[in-house]
């Protein structure tokens, strides 16, 4: 039988997100604001359609006018870039749903977004700024993780943090952001030898592998904070990287999947849309 | 008495740099090329003046027309940005000697350099590209370190690498570049707790602390590769971070100071100037 008293505290992303979204909703209503978001979707991938619809639903709920701009799988790079360039002056934020069809140059497409409208934080300029310590246009998922750390008063400075992910949208910018906050960060990935030697010494472990139950109890430090950013579909269920039963008995804090980093990421993204809108209107934005 | 047989092989930066510079010199001569470099120097700091003069001398030796553009310590941001903007179309590369006077916004000044002319690799766009894996305009010192690794056939993929430095010109971009090559990188700095636990497990250790003899023998792994990027003036001598006597007996490879990373960094920088020139003239550049 599990000893519930000694189990990890779950970092409740759903609750944190709801609170952020609630505040944004009020800001929009009280300020009679009209923020707008464009979501660009290429092709017919069911998961991509699901994610964009979900973002649109959340955005609409809180008062952000949101349109999904759909393009065929075979859209040309020129056509897509032109469409984004035309969207730039019309909206407060643009999201390009990834992954893009393989024939398109992702960097070129993303860089068509005007810096200020890059609410997902994935243009080259945004990432360069993150490296330099200017996080105003930082990527949404790393911002979601940092938001959760802040909400639960979990300190970062001087902590050993291991990130298992070295993508441009998660591992690399997050490593920069945590380094900027004084953490000692190690970036692991598929070429890492002796992964457990890195996970076991981590005060904070952030896993974005995408293999269900791959982070087991023996891999983590007693009392660690565990962020599970892996998302896999197992049957009709969404699963994270963490072996929940084992890790919950050893970690101090753990993000559940679903209901952990995911909802906070979406909230950070929508918060950004409203912040851009307020900046444009020179309205003070307090969230 | 030291056992010379068991001592670390010195990574001879002077030799590597000389070979690169020799090849560039021939390329310039044979191609009748006219590459040009502008060095921007603000104020009267003796070290800054020394470094810029040294770069000018090296550049001139191999056939790069080089001019030092000097500005008073109290130059205004507007004046300096305007001067750089005017230099952009006139030269193949621009270097801003750092540090800049405190009243100037370093990011704004650096970003006045046109991306292609950013031979030092310090604009926000250049750093964003490095994070994303496009290293064409990567910073010179990290490129110097990687050049030395390549010249001595020292593999990086799967290696544990610890970097003690988290600056925008060294630690952070280098961490990205080594991660891009499949190394498992840890970034340490002044807030790192138990520094030795990170240095001792490193197959490759890169130190850019700036405290002479701070990396002692007991801090490193037997057979490690040690890059000493710290530079301090002790009396009238230049000293690195590494306690040479101790570390040489335990490491497999070590960069000396002076004569290690420094000269290769300058060579990488000048190589870049010529590469930009060739690109502009659509001459094939083979170095």
């Amino acid at each position: 039988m599990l000893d519930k008293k000694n189990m990890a505290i779950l970092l409740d992303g759903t609750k944190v997100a709801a609170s952020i979204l609630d505040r944004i909703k009020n800001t929009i209503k009280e300020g009679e604001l009209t923020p707008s978001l464009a979501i660009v979707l290429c092709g017919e991938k069911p998961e991509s359609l699901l994610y964009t619809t979900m973002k649109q639903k959340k955005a609409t709920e809180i008062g952000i006018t949101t349109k999904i701009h759909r393009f065929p799988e075979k859209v040309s790079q020129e056509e897509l870039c032109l469409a984004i360039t035309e969207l730039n002056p019309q909206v407060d934020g643009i999201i390009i749903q990834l992954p893009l069809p393989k024939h398109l140059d992702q960097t070129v497409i993303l860089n068509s977004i005007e810096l200020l409208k890059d609410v997902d934080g994935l243009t080259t300029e945004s990432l360069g700024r993150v490296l330099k310590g200017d996080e105003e246009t930082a990527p949404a998922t790393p911002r979601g993780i940092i938001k959760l750390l802040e909400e639960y008063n979990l300190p970062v400075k001087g902590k050993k943090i291991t990130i298992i992910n070295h993508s441009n949208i998660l591992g690399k910018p997050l490593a920069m952001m945590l380094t900027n906050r004084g953490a000692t960060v190690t970036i692991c990935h598929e070429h890492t030898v002796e992964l457990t030697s890195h996970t076991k010494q981590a005060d904070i472990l952030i896993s974005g592998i995408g293999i269900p139950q791959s982070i087991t109890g023996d891999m983590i430090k007693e009392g660690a904070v565990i962020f599970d950013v892996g998302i896999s579909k197992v049957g009709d269920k969404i699963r994270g990287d963490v072996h929940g039963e084992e890790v919950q008995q050893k970690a101090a804090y753990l993000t559940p999947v679903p209901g952990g980093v995911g909802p906070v990421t979406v909230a950070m993204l929508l918060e950004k849309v409203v912040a851009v809108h307020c900046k444009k209107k020179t309205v003070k934005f307090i969230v």
Side-chain angles (χ1 to χ4, degrees), chain A residues 25-287:
Chain A
K25 194 176 174 178
N26 286 333
T27 305
I28 294 173
K29 203 176 166 189
E30 282 164 21
E32 295 178 8
L33 303 176
T34 54
S36 60
L37 172 67
I39 304 178
V40 173
L41 172 63
C42 301
E44 308 286 335
K45 255 191 160 183
E47 298 98 50
S48 292
L49 188 58
L50 188 74
Y51 287 135
T52 48
T53 312
M54 188 264 290
K55 284 174 199 164
Q56 185 185 35
K57 189 167 163 271
K58 280 273 175 225
T60 308
E61 270 173 24
I62 60 166
I64 298 174
T65 308
T66 309
K67 194 177 163 188
I68 300 177
H69 299 259
R70 296 195 65 172
F71 294 87
E73 177 83 24
K74 289 190 173 172
V75 61
S76 78
Q77 183 141 314
E78 291 66 33
E79 195 188 333
L80 196 56
C81 287
L82 184 66
I84 296 165
T85 310
E86 285 174 357
L87 281 172
N88 277 325
Q90 297 174 28
V91 293
D92 296 307
I94 301 176
I95 298 172
I96 317 275
Q97 184 63 41
L98 301 178
L100 285 167
K102 285 210 165 70
H103 68 284
L104 299 171
D105 184 329
Q106 186 173 298
T107 296
V108 173
I109 304 291
L110 287 170
N111 286 346
S112 304
I113 305 174
E114 190 191 319
L115 179 68
L116 185 69
K117 312 294 169 75
D118 180 23
V119 289
D120 239 348
L122 300 179
T123 63
T124 306
E125 174 77 15
S126 294
L127 292 169
R129 287 179 175 218
V130 165
L131 188 148
K132 287 183 121 173
D134 171 358
E135 300 179 2
E136 207 191 322
T137 51
T141 307
R143 282 199 293 128
I145 291 167
I146 283 170
K147 185 74 183 175
L148 272 171
L149 285 164
E150 288 171 352
E151 287 288 320
Y152 283 85
N153 291 312
L154 298 169
V156 163
K157 198 179 200 170
K159 298 293 176 194
K160 292 186 183 182
I161 303 187
T162 299
I163 303 171
I164 318 176
N165 183 294
H166 71 319
S167 71
N168 297 336
I169 64 171
L170 175 58
K172 288 194 276 181
L174 180 59
M176 297 296 95
M177 291 163 80
L178 293 168
T179 300
N180 292 340
R181 284 166 176 73
T184 303
V185 180
T186 303
I187 311 164
C188 298
H189 41 69
E190 71 269 30
H191 301 302
T192 296
V193 176
E194 298 166 3
L195 179 63
T196 299
S197 76
H198 296 288
T199 56
K200 242 185 133 62
Q201 69 181 5
D203 301 310
I204 302 173
L205 174 65
I206 297 145
S207 178
I209 305 175
I211 304 174
Q213 302 202 314
S214 51
I215 302 296
T216 47
D218 59 310
M219 290 174 74
I220 70 159
K221 184 175 168 176
E222 189 89 41
V225 180
I226 315 287
F227 282 84
D228 188 350
V229 200
I231 287 192
S232 314
K233 230 178 152 183
V234 180
D236 59 348
K237 295 227 166 132
I238 296 294
R239 291 271 180 260
D241 289 347
V242 166
H243 191 296
E245 274 171 43
E246 288 183 20
V247 169
Q248 273 195 64
Q249 291 180 70
K250 210 169 163 190
Y253 294 87
L254 171 66
T255 61
V257 173
V261 175
V264 186
T265 297
V266 175
M268 297 313 284
L269 210 147
L270 299 180
E271 183 188 73
K272 190 77 202 154
V273 175
V274 182
V276 173
H277 182 75
C278 290
K279 200 172 179 180
K280 201 174 67 183
K281 295 190 71 174
T282 63
V283 173
K284 202 169 172 195
F285 178 56
I286 309 155
V287 167

